[in-house]
């Protein structure tokens, strides 16, 4: 291991400077993750329950729902572009300032959604402005999660990288939980009161999260591994060209890994909510409550899965999460179609809490470990955001369309979930194990020699993971 990196990764909790920087990195990443997923969950739930009536009031309810989910998917068109742009900047100039820029762009666009006029006020310009805000939000979000993932993986102690890299993703659950909680309350209001303008308040409130995230991120220091690149004058002049010429196979592996995780997340967080309310006919607060319970479980299961990946390896844990969605696909959507509130909450909780989030907990360290130091940010961003288009962006629109053309049948969406899960489950057999990899290495994990693999640190015991000793 490089001496600079070794020094940074071997420091323990007794080093005040290291402990302070690790805490700052965790908080900086967590608040950004909370804002992104608060915005996206908020928008997804609003797409399912409100926007078809506010921005597409000229359409019939079924067509309006599809159109509403289409605007939800528009952000995923911009996400790869944002990932490519900001990922390149992050590998050339550093992680910190990219995370400052993305939080401003992403959060600002979400806040402005709450100020948009409706279709009844300005006609076609209302959905046009909504699409513009979604494009700006997606462009900023395209590098937000990649940046948080890379930053924490590079800051985290080597033997506990899976656990620490997963901690900021509690912010994902917190953001989703906050948005779901808002809609549980909104679902109890009379429709005319809700549509009169109350729905705007949660979007306008995004500005509070922006302020907190900016305060923390401006005090953050650059990641240790990027500092090593600067010291050794090894920063790539063209990270984008480098990642496609040297790391295309890992980008494709990352996309495959994300199909069930990202697609499953949006299918159960948004489409399932719309399905049980508009097609099955349950009360409108049931779906958001189910998402909230799943997010509560995720606040535990994400770091738990990260810790398990430190002990048993990234791939076995990831494969288990994919297997949960694979097994749940058909029986889960059939159970949702029955309309029993308790069963709906249970199915969505298992899907999100133990299927999606088990994969996410392992993924937080796995994706950064796949790529070499010179093009890690752009590599993770490219894999994450192109998969976000193929899985997350298309999933709610395609799912709503499948439900519409099948007359409200549950099995086409179940088939969709099953196919996404098969792709990810199969991909886990094509990805090298990366646990404990030296993140200062220039080459990708697939090029590690047998000696480099053998020199990786051994896993810590469960007892040491619970203790307060060295973080290494």
């Amino acid at each position: 291991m490089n001496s600079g990196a070794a020094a940074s990764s071997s420091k323990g909790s007794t080093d005040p400077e290291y402990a302070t920087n690790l805490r700052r990195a965790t908080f900086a990443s967590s608040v950004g993750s909370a804002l992104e997923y608060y915005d996206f969950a908020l928008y997804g739930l609003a797409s399912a329950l409100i926007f078809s009536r506010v921005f597409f009031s000229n359409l019939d309810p079924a067509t309006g729902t599809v159109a509403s989910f289409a605007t939800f998917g528009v952000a995923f068109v911009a996400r790869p572009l944002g990932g490519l742009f900001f990922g390149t900047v992050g590998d050339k100039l550093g992680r910190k300032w990219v995370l400052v820029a993305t939080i401003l762009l992403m959060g600002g666009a979400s806040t402005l959604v709450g100020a948009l006029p409706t279709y009844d006020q300005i006609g076609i310009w209302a959905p046009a402005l909504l699409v513009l805000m979604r494009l700006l939000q997606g462009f900023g979000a395209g590098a937000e999660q990649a940046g948080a993932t890379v930053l924490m993986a590079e800051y985290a102690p080597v033997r506990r990288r899976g656990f620490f890299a997963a901690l900021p993703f509690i912010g994902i659950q917190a953001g989703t939980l906050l948005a779901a909680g808002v809609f549980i309350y909104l679902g109890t209001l009379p429709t005319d009161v809700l549509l009169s303008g109350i729905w705007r308040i949660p979007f306008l409130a995004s500005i509070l999260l922006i302020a907190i995230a900016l305060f923390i991120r401006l005090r953050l220091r650059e990641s240790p591994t990027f500092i090593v690149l600067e010291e050794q004058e090894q920063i790539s002049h063209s990270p984008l060209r480098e990642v496609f010429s040297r790391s295309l196979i890992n980008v494709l592996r990352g996309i495959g890994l994300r199909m069930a995780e990202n697609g499953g997340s949006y299918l159960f967080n948004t489409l399932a909510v719309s399905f049980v309310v508009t097609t099955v006919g349950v009360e409108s607060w049931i779906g958001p409550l189910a998402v909230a319970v799943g997010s509560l479980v995720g606040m535990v299961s994400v770091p738990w899965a990260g810790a398990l990946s430190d002990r048993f390896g990234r791939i076995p844990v990831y494969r288990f999460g994919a297997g949960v969605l694979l097994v749940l696909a058909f029986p889960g959507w059939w159970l949702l179609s029955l309309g029993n509130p308790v069963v709906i909450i249970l199915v969505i909780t298992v899907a999100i809490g133990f299927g999606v989030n088990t994969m996410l907990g392992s993924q937080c360290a796995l994706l950064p470990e796949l790529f070499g130091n010179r093009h890690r940010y752009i590599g993770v961003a490219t894999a994450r955001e192109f998969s976000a288009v193929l899985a997350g962006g298309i999933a709610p629109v395609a799912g709503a369309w499948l439900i519409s053309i099948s007359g409200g049948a549950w099995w086409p969406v179940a088939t969709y979930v099953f196919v996404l899960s098969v792709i990810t489950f199969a991909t886990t057999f094509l990805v090298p194990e990366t646990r404990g990899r030296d993140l200062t290495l220039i080459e990708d994990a697939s090029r590690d020699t047998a000696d480099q693999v053998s020199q990786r640190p051994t896993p810590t015991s469960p007892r040491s993971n619970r203790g307060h000793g060295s973080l290494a």
Side-chain angles (χ1 to χ4, degrees):
M1 179 183 288
N2 176 282
S3 60
S8 67
S9 64
S10 64
K11 291 179 180 180
S13 58
T14 56
D15 186 318
E17 182 182 3
Y18 178 74
T20 298
N21 288 329
L22 184 60
R23 281 196 301 271
R24 285 180 180 172
T26 304
F27 285 130
S29 301
S30 298
V31 175
S33 298
L35 176 60
E36 179 183 352
Y37 274 77
Y38 171 75
D39 288 345
F40 269 72
L42 194 65
Y43 196 99
L45 290 167
S47 297
L49 304 173
I50 293 174
F51 285 168
S52 62
R53 307 178 190 181
V54 174
F55 294 104
F56 302 97
S57 56
N58 60 317
L59 303 176
D60 65 84
T63 306
T65 299
V66 173
S68 183
F69 276 126
T71 65
F72 179 80
V74 160
F76 292 88
V77 176
R79 286 185 68 141
L81 300 177
L84 293 175
F85 175 78
F86 286 116
T88 299
V89 174
D91 277 325
K92 295 176 73 171
L93 301 181
R95 323 312 192 198
K96 173 182 175 178
W97 295 110
V98 170
L99 290 175
V100 170
T102 57
I103 204 74
L104 282 171
L105 185 58
M106 182 180 63
S110 180
T111 301
L112 288 175
V113 168
L116 293 180
T118 66
Y119 184 91
D120 291 340
Q121 292 173 321
I122 62 170
I124 194 65
W125 286 105
L129 289 173
L130 182 66
V131 168
L132 176 61
M133 292 303 103
R134 286 296 290 168
L135 287 171
L136 292 175
Q137 188 184 53
F139 193 76
E144 171 63 34
Q145 278 302 304
T149 300
V150 169
L151 184 74
M152 277 311 302
E154 292 180 340
Y155 256 110
V158 177
R159 286 190 176 89
R160 300 186 64 192
R161 185 182 292 145
F163 172 72
F164 275 93
L167 284 180
F169 287 75
I170 294 176
I172 291 178
Q173 315 309 319
T176 304
L177 177 62
L178 181 59
V182 167
F183 267 84
I184 291 172
Y185 169 71
L186 293 182
T188 65
L189 298 176
T191 301
D192 58 338
V193 174
L194 177 62
L195 299 181
S196 68
I198 297 298
W199 66 268
R200 298 178 183 277
I201 296 175
F203 287 95
L204 296 173
S206 296
I207 197 169
L208 299 176
L209 286 174
I210 299 173
I212 295 171
L214 272 180
F215 175 76
I216 297 172
R217 289 186 175 187
L218 287 172
R219 303 177 65 202
L220 184 65
R221 293 187 62 185
E222 190 54 78
S223 82
T225 59
F226 188 81
I227 292 174
V228 169
L229 279 180
E230 289 184 314
E231 291 174 346
Q232 297 181 348
E233 298 183 351
Q234 291 183 323
I235 294 176
S236 173
H237 296 293
S238 183
L240 181 59
R241 181 174 60 188
E242 189 171 298
V243 79
F244 279 107
S245 63
R246 301 185 61 84
S247 301
L248 181 59
I249 184 63
N250 280 335
V251 170
L252 295 175
R253 286 167 172 160
I255 290 173
L257 288 171
R258 290 261 295 161
M259 295 305 284
E261 177 265 316
N262 195 244
S265 174
Y266 285 105
L267 285 170
F268 282 101
N269 272 311
T270 59
L271 184 66
V273 172
S274 176
F275 176 73
V276 298
V277 172
T278 62
T279 302
V280 179
V282 302
E283 294 186 62
S284 60
W285 57 269
I286 297 295
L289 177 60
V291 172
V293 174
S295 298
L296 277 173
V297 172
M299 295 180 77
V300 176
S301 62
V302 169
W304 173 69
L308 288 177
S309 77
D310 285 328
R311 183 66 182 162
F312 301 106
R314 316 291 185 222
I315 302 304
V317 174
Y318 209 109
R319 189 175 296 147
F320 173 82
V324 170
L325 287 192
L326 187 68
V327 172
L328 187 65
F330 284 99
W333 280 87
W334 171 70
L335 289 169
L336 290 176
S337 73
L338 300 180
N340 184 301
V342 175
V343 173
I344 289 171
I345 293 171
L346 181 62
V347 169
I348 293 179
T349 297
V350 172
I352 296 173
F354 296 102
V356 170
N357 287 324
T358 297
M359 288 184 278
L360 182 61
S362 177
Q363 181 191 117
C364 296
L366 172 58
L367 286 185
E369 288 171 336
L370 275 177
F371 295 96
N373 200 16
R374 284 164 55 95
H375 51 264
R376 177 170 297 121
Y377 200 141
I378 187 66
V380 174
T382 303
R384 282 187 60 87
E385 300 314 323
F386 278 89
S387 62
V389 174
L390 296 173
I394 294 175
V397 181
W401 177 74
L402 288 171
I403 291 172
S404 177
I405 65 170
S406 64
W410 60 267
W411 63 265
V413 182
T415 304
Y416 192 13
V417 174
F418 182 81
V419 170
L420 292 176
S421 302
V422 167
I423 292 172
T424 294
F425 193 82
T427 302
T428 62
F429 293 93
L430 305 175
V431 178
E433 179 58 61
T434 60
R435 177 185 59 191
R437 187 170 188 262
D438 179 1
L439 293 185
T440 65
L441 293 174
I442 300 299
E443 297 292 342
D444 289 354
S446 55
R447 294 187 174 92
D448 283 359
T449 65
D451 286 342
Q452 287 172 327
V453 173
S454 67
Q455 291 171 11
R456 293 177 186 172
T458 55
T460 54
S461 67
R463 176 172 295 182
S464 65
N465 271 341
R466 294 193 297 267
H468 300 281
S470 171
L471 294 174

